Amino acid sequence: MAALSTTDLAVVALCLFVLAIVWRHQSRLRRSRFPPGPPPLPVLGNILDIPREYSATAYRSLFDKYGDIVYLDAVKQSIIVLGTYAAASELLEKRSAKYANRPSLIMVGLIGGDWIIPYSSYTNVWRERRKRFREFFSANVIKAYEYAQEAGAQRLIQLFLSAPKDYADNVQFVFGSTVFSSVYGIDVSSPTNEYLVMADDVMSIIKEVFTAGRFLVEVFPFLQRIPAWLPGMGFKRKAATWGGMLQEMRNKPFDAAANSVQRGESAPCVVETVLDKISTQPPQVQAFEEALARDVCGNAYLGAIETVTATFFTFLYTMALYPDVQRRAQAEIDAVVGHSRAPLLSDRPALPYIDALLNECLRWMPTAQLGVPHASVEDDEYNGYIIPKGSIILVNVWAIARSKEHYVQPDRFMPERFLTKDGQLSKDILSPRSYVFGFGRRVCPGMYFGDASLFITIASLLHALTIKPALDEFGRPRIPSVENVKMKEGFLT
Ligand code: HEM
């Protein structure tokens, strides 16, 4: 082969130089069509502009400056924050297929956590799991678990009376035990129950895995190929232990429930329904369906516990803060339910003010204030802006909930905003249910279950008790002011 002459080399070098200039120019041109946002710093991009705390409120100042769709460059990772319902529903709802992915994390793979639906990528197996989840928790199917939700509400009243100081722990315990009864038919009678402890441990693992900057391997993926026994590879050893804990949580309660079903001792629950349904199918289909059912059941507690508990804390807080709202809600329950029995979920159509109250709790302090991040699967264009493939999409749910475009005096807690003049639920006001549960193909599949649990617990508590603020040593009400109530890591503190 003939050697390249100096002229040839010069021509190649010139071509490469021209290509580099064209490429740079084109990427600048493309960048100029990304949505507006704060100017990036060299190397760091917009890392310093990404709020660390109380992000939803902090992002609002970016919207004031740059408009309702903001672009941030998190060093090779585009982040798009949507600040209006119109933008969120156009992209995540109407163009759902383009935005149904999630940002991927290496640690999720290392702990074998792909079956955790909220964090799994947009794959065929995710579709199968999600399909089953929606089937097991559809508005119709969950009627079979109303008994567990009603019993849970009564249990919470007893616990509030017997241990008022432990109210926060007991709220979490009761909602958790309702999930376990409905899903596995298991009566979890104490917060130290092994299944509850197991599920809470897994919840902590998930939070740690999703803490930004917690694991270096997310920034330097080659670390996953280094042997676990070498120094600095603690994350690999941790991942192995955590993986075992995740599997235990997925399988142990399911096995216990399946045994009860076999003995004919199970209460109505998801596991009973599934095993009954698949019992007539061929063995290989049974094995496939059972594996999916294990995944779905394992997801229920993880999806439910913090969202439902945090919404309920908003309810407790606002009742102590707004006694007039509480009195009006109690009057409605007294008129419909009376004093000879406890409220039931079947009373719901006759209790529009309680529905409006739950709506207002969901709106006034949404639990997932920036939603759960979506990721785009291809390039898209919105209002003339390019949204590059692989972008992380956040929705500022809090900004939507507090927007003057949708609500009169949005900062005020006013359940009646959701009612017509004759006291029925209005269809003309944007329901928080159309954004606090997320969007499109990723919308929360547990929303009917969570909603029913919250409704019956709120109605039952108001029927039996009156919520008042605690008193300080001088007998004055001790309650944090509205300005001091903030959401930390997404939940009310
Ligand atoms: C007040 C109650 C609840 C709220 C506010 C809530 C909110 C959310 C939100 C914002 C998402 C992300 C949606 C998106 O990415 O667009 C989500 C996803 C999810 N939720 Fe809920 N949720 C609640 C209750 C529940 C309950 C009770 C369960 C289980 C029984 C549950 C299970 C899930 C699951 C499995 C996902 C993942 C969906 C996916 O990624 O495909 N949630 N939820």
Side-chain angles (χ1 to χ4, degrees):
M1 199 172 84
L4 288 177
S5 69
T6 321
T7 324
D8 291 338
L9 284 174
V11 171
V12 171
L14 186 68
C15 288
L16 286 176
F17 181 68
V18 171
L19 274 177
I21 290 186
V22 171
W23 178 81
R24 219 176 123 183
H25 176 71
Q26 289 208 323
S27 56
R28 278 201 178 152
L29 205 68
R30 186 173 145 85
R31 170 70 183 84
S32 71
R33 288 194 55 207
F34 290 172
L41 293 172
V43 186
L44 290 181
N46 294 116
I47 288 286
L48 303 180
D49 297 304
I50 298 174
R52 298 271 171 270
E53 265 199 322
Y54 311 126
S55 317
T57 28
Y59 275 121
R60 197 185 236 187
S61 53
L62 287 181
F63 295 136
D64 290 345
K65 208 160 172 190
Y66 299 103
D68 295 336
I69 167 164
V70 171
Y71 179 88
L72 296 164
D73 169 1
V75 187
K76 293 196 190 153
Q77 174 61 66
S78 306
I79 300 180
I80 311 268
V81 195
L82 307 173
T84 60
Y85 179 71
S89 63
E90 172 61 39
L91 297 182
L92 305 189
E93 197 82 47
K94 293 193 190 133
R95 305 183 199 176
S96 182
K98 288 185 183 174
Y99 293 94
N101 208 358
R102 297 282 193 212
S104 70
L105 283 183
I106 289 167
M107 276 302 277
V108 170
L110 292 182
I111 63 172
D114 309 309
W115 59 276
I116 312 249
I117 301 175
Y119 309 117
S120 65
S121 304
Y122 184 42
T123 56
N124 283 338
V125 62
W126 165 82
R127 276 191 199 87
E128 295 291 347
R129 288 188 186 116
R130 201 184 144 90
K131 201 169 136 202
R132 302 307 181 286
F133 201 110
R134 288 174 69 99
E135 223 173 277
F136 303 161
F137 289 91
S138 73
N140 261 338
V141 169
I142 60 150
K143 286 192 185 359
Y145 317 126
E146 285 181 357
Y147 80 93
Q149 292 171 318
E150 289 162 354
Q154 293 306 317
R155 179 183 265 176
L156 187 60
I157 293 168
Q158 295 310 321
L159 289 169
F160 271 18
L161 289 171
S162 60
K165 288 207 168 115
D166 299 333
Y167 78 96
D169 288 345
N170 282 329
V171 168
Q172 174 149 348
F173 159 59
V174 165
F175 283 123
S177 66
T178 306
V179 173
F180 271 88
S181 315
S182 312
V183 173
Y184 299 109
I186 294 174
D187 183 19
V188 174
S189 52
S190 116
T192 54
N193 172 280
E194 68 162 323
Y195 300 130
L196 269 191
V197 172
M198 219 180 252
D200 285 334
D201 288 346
V202 168
M203 200 71 216
S204 313
I205 292 172
I206 290 170
K207 278 188 187 163
E208 202 167 334
V209 165
F210 279 85
T211 302
R214 174 70 186 81
F215 294 103
L216 218 52
V217 67
E218 303 298 346
V219 188
F220 303 112
F222 69 87
L223 289 176
Q224 63 186 307
R225 279 185 276 283
I226 295 179
W229 48 268
L230 281 174
M233 293 300 109
F235 73 91
K236 280 191 116 175
R237 296 188 289 273
K238 223 172 206 180
T241 313
W242 286 354
M245 290 164 74
L246 255 70
Q247 280 310 313
E248 206 175 27
M249 187 250 172
R250 174 182 175 268
N251 290 323
K252 243 185 156 172
F254 193 96
D255 289 338
N259 285 337
S260 301
V261 173
Q262 240 170 20
R263 292 194 304 270
E265 292 167 4
S266 170
C269 63
V270 172
V271 175
E272 187 196 39
T273 315
V274 175
L275 294 181
D276 185 44
K277 190 177 151 199
I278 64 178
S279 60
T280 53
Q281 293 173 325
Q284 68 280 18
V285 178
Q286 270 187 35
F288 175 74
E289 289 296 335
E290 190 186 305
L292 285 177
R294 282 174 191 267
D295 295 343
V296 168
C297 291
N299 267 281
Y301 183 88
L302 303 177
I305 199 65
E306 298 218 337
T307 45
V308 175
T309 304
T311 309
F312 196 74
F313 285 152
T314 301
F315 158 73
L316 291 177
Y317 172 69
T318 51
M319 289 307 93
L321 202 62
Y322 304 109
D324 290 351
V325 172
Q326 182 167 204
R327 272 192 288 276
R328 185 165 168 190
Q330 286 173 321
E332 182 178 78
I333 298 169
D334 287 350
V336 172
V337 177
H339 295 283
S340 58
R341 65 171 178 89
L344 299 169
L345 273 157
S346 53
D347 293 317
R348 190 166 185 170
L351 297 170
Y353 190 77
I354 306 302
D355 247 328
L357 170 58
L358 173 52
N359 262 352
E360 188 66 339
C361 291
L362 289 166
R363 180 199 74 85
W364 193 71
M365 199 58 83
T367 53
Q369 302 214 331
L370 288 173
V372 176
H374 287 223
S376 61
V377 291
E378 56 185 85
D379 275 359
D380 195 17
E381 201 173 316
Y382 175 68
N383 281 355
Y385 299 126
I386 291 180
I387 297 179
K389 174 181 173 178
S391 297
I392 291 179
I393 317 289
L394 301 174
V395 178
N396 195 333
V397 172
W398 182 83
I400 298 173
R402 297 296 182 101
S403 145
K404 289 195 174 119
E405 188 191 340
H406 301 296
Y407 305 107
V408 177
Q409 299 186 38
D411 293 337
R412 280 192 60 193
F413 187 83
M414 284 194 313
E416 58 276 23
R417 71 172 76 247
F418 293 106
L419 296 177
T420 58
K421 283 202 181 82
D422 57 357
Q424 295 309 305
L425 276 178
S426 166
K427 292 196 172 70
D428 299 332
I429 310 278
L430 179 66
S431 166
R433 286 151 214 261
S434 43
Y435 53 87
V436 297
F437 291 109
F439 296 87
R441 296 189 184 192
R442 287 285 184 166
V443 73
C444 174
M447 62 200 254
Y448 303 111
F449 185 86
D451 182 59
S453 271
L454 283 164
F455 183 90
I456 193 60
T457 315
I458 287 175
S460 305
L461 214 73
L462 290 175
H463 183 247
L465 307 172
T466 296
I467 298 143
K468 289 184 179 163
L471 302 178
D472 68 11
E473 69 264 39
F474 306 108
R476 292 173 308 204
R478 195 161 49 85
I479 187 160
S481 69
V482 175
E483 293 72 37
N484 290 335
V485 173
K486 296 230 163 98
M487 297 295 260
K488 204 169 183 183
E489 292 170 22
F491 299 102
L492 191 67
T493 54

